[in-house]
Amino acid sequence: MKAKDIMTTEVITVTEDTAIEQIAKILSENRISGVPVVNGEGKIKGIVTEGDLLHKISNPRVPGFVGLLGGIIYFNSLDEYKDDLKKLAAMKAEEIMTTDITTVSADANVEDMATLMVERGIKRLPVVEKDKVIGIISRADIIRTMAR
């Protein structure tokens, strides 16, 4: 079975300048956990998930460090802390969206999509054609396919 056989074709998207509060409302009202972000031409630029939005109300992950001879050695990534702060201050989609996204074509196999989701820890895969969103596959779509 292919992505085109199980994808949702009426994809809810937001633009890069959509306000965070509006995105939260869209996710809540439509009972979805993420939404692709598209530019003016409809090309995918990122995705905003519930996880991204949680950064707005959570404490940033402060990196552990130790002082040694007047210097600082960090135990974990400063980049995570910087990303958390950026998302905490975000006001619109382009400031909070995840830009390192995984997409698939309409001809992608269900097995390959399931593997991508497991390996990368993702819950949804935008289906694109020429960088434009034509559908979306969620974990639930794949589970429904298994149940048939």
Side-chain angles (χ1 to χ4, degrees):
M1 200 165 281
K2 308 266 186 201
K4 63 186 171 190
D5 300 322
I6 65 169
M7 68 184 184
T8 299
T9 55
E10 293 181 23
V11 183
I12 299 167
T13 62
V14 297
T15 61
E16 295 166 296
D17 62 347
T18 304
I20 300 298
E21 294 79 15
Q22 184 64 27
I23 296 170
K25 185 176 180 183
I26 289 168
L27 295 182
S28 177
E29 288 177 353
N30 292 283
R31 296 178 187 229
I32 55 177
S33 61
V35 61
V37 180
V38 297
N39 67 10
E41 293 101 42
K43 292 188 176 184
I44 190 162
K45 292 305 198 180
I47 196 159
V48 176
T49 67
E50 291 170 328
D52 294 322
L53 294 179
L54 287 177
H55 284 276
K56 289 293 291 175
I57 59 172
S58 67
N59 294 319
R61 295 171 285 187
V62 179
F65 66 92
V66 64
L68 183 64
L69 300 173
I72 298 176
I73 300 172
Y74 291 98
F75 296 133
N76 47 12
S77 176
L78 269 178
D79 292 335
E80 285 181 349
Y81 181 64
K82 289 177 185 176
D83 287 344
D84 286 356
L85 287 179
K86 180 182 164 196
K87 289 183 179 193
L88 185 63
M91 301 300 288
K92 52 188 176 177
E94 71 180 345
E95 298 166 342
I96 201 167
M97 69 184 180
T98 300
T99 56
D100 183 19
I101 54 172
T102 302
T103 62
V104 295
S105 72
D107 290 322
N109 290 319
V110 170
E111 296 84 8
D112 294 336
M113 291 183 293
T115 301
L116 279 173
M117 289 177 163
V118 169
E119 287 178 350
R120 299 185 183 178
I122 54 179
K123 297 179 182 170
R124 71 208 53 77
L125 288 167
V127 182
V128 298
E129 185 175 286
K130 297 181 182 175
D131 289 332
K132 292 190 177 182
V133 179
I134 60 167
I136 197 159
I137 304 282
S138 69
R139 288 180 176 185
D141 294 324
I142 292 177
I143 300 301
R144 275 193 293 276
T145 302
M146 291 172 59
R148 289 186 199 144

